[in-house]
Amino acid sequence: MESVLYPAAERGTKDIGWLRSNFVFSFSNHYNPVKSAFGTLFAFNDDYLEVGKGFGIHPHINMEIISILLKGKMNHKDTMGYSTVIEEGGVQIMSAGSGLKHEEYNIGEEEVNFLQIWIYPKQQNINPRYQTRSFPKAQRKNQLVTIISSEEGLAHCWINQNAKLSLGYFEKGKQVNYRFRPENMCLFVFNISGSITVNGQLVPERDAIGIWDTDSISIDCNEESEFLIIETVINQK
């Protein structure tokens, strides 16, 4: 097994008042040549958005853009005609494809915290598409739940890439075993809260670890913990 640790203390930061961002990889004003991406995972941002503030309408093209709402309430509007509201536990995906525009605002009464994840698409210039699903924390207790998959289904969102995203929320002392196909695949594990140990490597809160050259990992929860696993391809073929 090969691995690389991404400590929270080494993330890039951006604070423009209404938006505070933490970047695992190079993004916006943050550039780190040795942390530009992990496989097809292009961006992983831990964002905080003030009440009443947000991202005005802006374009995207040929990128899979995922938002996972950890706290608060945020709206979504786009040029495909979608107008939705996402709350804690909500997940949305935009396959930007040939191009779309959207806006997102904090419409709640508290600061929004969400994970913004960009993944390179498998196919270019597809018709843009949008999906949202809800995964309340109480319904995920001691379960690893698929929230996004390359396979279409009613229970999760679908992504235009050979990738799978899973959310786990476990009590102290629980162990999670995760198996995957090792050929050209890698895992990115982000610890949202608590403390976990991944194959013997301690991963504190808001740290992440990238893993490859193996077909399985074990995650031990040192305390009540919530974490995200992203399985995706190492090299686009």
Side-chain angles (χ1 to χ4, degrees):
M1 185 191 86
E2 299 290 336
S3 65
V4 57
L5 192 64
Y6 297 98
E10 295 180 7
R11 297 185 299 185
T13 60
K14 182 177 182 178
D15 187 344
I16 53 176
W18 60 272
L19 173 67
R20 293 181 290 114
S21 297
N22 302 279
F23 308 126
V24 174
F25 307 112
S26 297
F27 195 86
S28 184
N29 63 319
H30 171 66
Y31 176 68
N32 186 333
V34 298
K35 293 180 180 179
S36 57
F38 182 71
T40 55
L41 177 59
F42 173 74
F44 193 100
N45 306 339
D46 188 2
D47 289 342
Y48 295 81
L49 192 59
E50 278 191 358
V51 174
K53 303 295 185 180
F55 305 90
I57 192 160
H58 59 284
H60 292 285
I61 188 170
N62 287 324
M63 188 65 70
E64 302 296 291
I65 300 172
I66 299 159
S67 299
I68 301 175
L69 207 67
L70 303 180
K71 185 180 74 170
K73 188 175 182 180
M74 190 167 68
N75 80 328
H76 166 91
K77 292 183 180 180
D78 62 43
T79 49
M80 293 180 288
Y82 288 97
S83 180
T84 61
V85 173
I86 311 157
E87 300 189 53
E88 182 177 335
V91 174
Q92 69 175 17
I93 182 166
M94 292 185 299
S95 290
S98 58
L100 59 78
K101 295 180 181 179
H102 76 114
E103 64 178 47
E104 320 274 339
Y105 281 89
N106 180 347
I107 59 171
E109 298 179 353
E110 64 176 338
E111 183 180 56
V112 156
N113 176 209
F114 73 105
L115 302 178
Q116 182 183 175
I117 301 162
W118 292 21
I119 295 177
Y120 289 117
K122 185 176 182 177
Q123 295 176 295
Q124 300 283 309
N125 299 316
I126 66 169
N127 291 330
R129 55 184 300 279
Y130 173 82
Q131 271 188 314
T132 183
R133 296 285 187 271
S134 181
F135 302 90
K137 197 172 183 178
Q139 296 180 17
R140 293 185 280 109
K141 190 170 184 179
N142 294 326
Q143 295 184 69
L144 189 62
V145 177
T146 299
I147 61 172
I148 294 174
S149 172
S150 59
E151 298 178 0
E152 296 187 53
L154 297 177
H156 56 259
C157 295
W158 174 81
I159 191 171
N160 173 29
Q161 182 53 270
N162 184 12
K164 183 169 75 170
L165 282 72
S166 306
L167 268 178
Y169 169 50
F170 291 87
E171 295 173 311
K172 178 180 178 180
K174 296 291 185 180
Q175 184 181 74
V176 181
N177 295 302
Y178 186 96
R179 299 189 65 84
F180 65 105
R181 182 173 59 81
E183 292 83 13
N184 200 36
M185 300 298 290
C186 57
L187 295 183
F188 180 87
V189 182
F190 178 74
N191 186 17
I192 297 169
S193 64
S195 172
I196 60 176
T197 299
V198 181
N199 280 15
Q201 172 67 59
L202 180 65
V203 183
E205 187 168 306
R206 249 53 181 194
D207 279 15
I209 186 170
I211 296 166
W212 66 102
D213 280 355
T214 186
D215 63 358
S216 64
I217 62 168
S218 63
I219 300 175
D220 293 286
C221 299
N222 308 315
E223 54 192 54
E224 185 178 79
S225 301
E226 184 177 18
F227 53 87
L228 172 69
I229 300 176
I230 301 176
E231 176 184 339
T232 190
V233 296
I234 297 173
N235 295 303
Q236 188 83 317
K237 291 185 177 180

